[in-house]
Amino acid sequence: MHSGIAYAVGTLLCWVGIGEVLIAVYRLAQSIVPPRGTDPRDARKRSLTSAVIAAASLLVSIPLLRGHEGGTVFVPVIWLVMPFAGWLGVVTGGIAVFKVLKLPFAGRSEQASLAKSAAGYAVLCALGAWFFRRDPSNVISLLRGVIPLTITSAGAILALALAATLAMALSAAFAKTRGVSKAVVTQLALLVGSVVFGLPFAWLVITSLKEDEDMSSPNGIVWVPKVTEQVPYMSKDNPLLEGSYNGQTIQANIITRNTDGTVLVNITKPGGVAGRSFTAPLSSFKEVPKMVNLVWSTYQGQQVKALVADNLPDGKDLLRILSPSSLKDTEFKALPSESEKIRHVGLK
């Protein structure tokens, strides 16, 4: 099997397994504390069905994901890049397969409904495949990745998800047992269940507020964003210039100084024109302070607080000491690995 297809199938089975684990826990809670009108034996049967599907899905996904590990514990993720017809075929086909897999475990009354539903989705899948094949330029690209987790982070997320699922089931059961209206029961279940489904959204929001070093941490998911402390600094050797480009105020770094008094600069801000280069008279710019990182480092066996004055061509940083006062303004070179950024909780 092609590695991309194997990874996609493994990822799908992994997520199906995770979902079925939560469904199994929900049904198990219903069998222990059954809401009014729920048959405990039926709830136990459904819980066992979900548990079997979860175990099978997760076990089958392991060999398909082998070689793509993202750490001790990881969650695989994929994204398909394709036209609408492709999405129609993939989504409806996946739903049809899922319903067919449910057939052996469903009751007689439910089997007929599942079969009809699966057939309907299969027709939509075939329709999407037909439209997709009509255009020879249509292609499907697969983006692969993983969410690395530590055992502690994975355990905490799993415990929270299981607790939220149990709370959702028990709140519905107790509310019905006490004769609370159906609307209140529904709202209670939705409120508690939103914790589970809100976790991915919360992770996306938090990720958008992180600095680059927190995007992929060896310690797992970083839930509390931090920012590196910075200070303004006027650099003599590598000044930051402010000027105008096509009527827009920009900031730029000098690439080349020409003999005629002009400079070739590379724009750093704003983002819309960042990366562009142009030549202009040096007199048309003014020097402005650049924001540089603060770090902890070691100088002559003593810990010092310093600013990163420059990034040197040999890969080292030029550090300028701020404290202790006896070493203030002393400059020395150090590798980035020999310094630690000074960071605090905050948003970038």
Side-chain angles (χ1 to χ4, degrees):
M1 184 185 294
H2 188 274
S3 62
I5 297 176
Y7 189 84
V9 174
T11 299
L12 178 63
L13 289 174
C14 180
W15 282 100
V16 167
I18 293 172
E20 288 295 331
V21 167
L22 297 179
I23 293 174
V25 172
Y26 183 83
R27 296 299 183 189
L28 182 61
Q30 285 189 324
S31 69
I32 297 173
V33 186
R36 185 178 300 174
T38 299
D39 184 359
R41 289 176 298 179
D42 182 60
R44 280 194 294 271
K45 180 181 177 181
R46 289 173 179 270
S47 177
L48 180 61
T49 299
S50 294
V52 171
I53 295 175
S57 299
L58 293 172
L59 286 174
V60 174
S61 72
I62 292 174
L64 296 175
L65 297 172
R66 188 168 293 140
H68 301 278
E69 290 84 358
T72 306
V73 181
F74 71 98
V75 179
V77 290
I78 58 170
W79 185 256
L80 297 173
V81 181
M82 56 186 171
F84 173 76
W87 276 112
L88 177 64
V90 169
V91 173
T92 54
I95 296 175
V97 170
F98 180 73
K99 289 183 177 294
V100 169
L101 292 175
K102 284 275 192 178
L103 280 174
F105 306 99
R108 289 187 177 181
S109 59
E110 191 180 2
Q111 283 182 341
S113 175
L114 280 173
K116 291 179 181 178
S117 178
Y121 281 112
V123 170
L124 290 175
C125 176
L127 185 64
W130 181 75
F131 277 113
F132 181 83
R133 292 177 63 87
R134 286 190 64 189
D135 187 351
S137 64
N138 284 339
V139 294
I140 298 177
S141 301
L142 179 66
L143 303 179
R144 296 180 287 180
V146 297
I147 303 174
L149 299 170
T150 60
I151 295 178
T152 303
S153 297
I157 293 173
L158 180 61
L160 180 60
L162 292 177
T165 304
L166 281 171
M168 185 170 63
L170 295 176
S171 64
F174 288 139
K176 285 187 176 181
T177 302
R178 297 181 181 182
V180 181
S181 68
K182 183 178 179 180
V184 175
V185 172
T186 301
Q187 295 302 319
L188 281 173
L190 289 174
L191 180 63
V192 177
S194 64
V195 175
V196 177
F197 299 105
L199 283 174
F201 177 73
W203 179 73
L204 288 174
V205 172
I206 292 171
T207 299
S208 68
L209 302 174
K210 295 178 183 176
E211 292 187 337
D212 291 344
E213 51 259 54
D214 289 337
M215 294 297 182
S216 179
S217 170
N219 298 320
I221 294 178
V222 177
W223 289 100
V224 181
K226 291 185 177 181
V227 292
T228 303
E229 293 186 16
Q230 295 184 317
V231 293
Y233 175 68
M234 297 289 289
S235 175
K236 296 180 180 179
D237 299 325
N238 187 21
L240 179 65
L241 305 180
E242 186 175 273
S244 178
Y245 176 76
N246 291 339
Q248 186 176 11
T249 300
I250 56 94
Q251 291 184 352
N253 292 321
I254 297 176
I255 300 176
T256 305
R257 295 177 183 266
N258 302 318
T259 55
D260 60 357
T262 62
V263 288
L264 175 64
V265 298
N266 178 58
I267 300 175
T268 57
K269 290 183 180 180
V273 292
R276 298 186 186 183
S277 301
F278 70 100
T279 301
L282 180 60
S283 58
S284 65
F285 297 98
K286 68 175 181 179
E287 292 190 17
V288 294
K290 60 171 68 176
M291 300 303 295
V292 297
N293 294 336
L294 293 179
V295 297
W296 293 111
S297 190
T298 302
Y299 178 71
Q300 296 181 349
Q302 184 176 0
Q303 186 183 54
V304 296
K305 180 180 182 180
L307 58 85
V308 181
D310 200 1
N311 304 119
L312 303 176
D314 60 1
K316 294 184 178 180
D317 291 333
L318 179 63
L319 304 184
R320 188 182 183 91
I321 298 176
L322 298 177
S323 64
S325 57
S326 58
L327 297 173
K328 188 178 174 70
D329 295 332
T330 302
E331 294 186 346
F332 68 101
K333 298 178 182 179
L335 291 171
S337 59
E338 297 172 343
S339 303
E340 180 183 355
K341 292 181 179 179
I342 301 176
R343 310 180 72 208
H344 63 268
V345 175
L347 308 179
K348 70 175 183 179

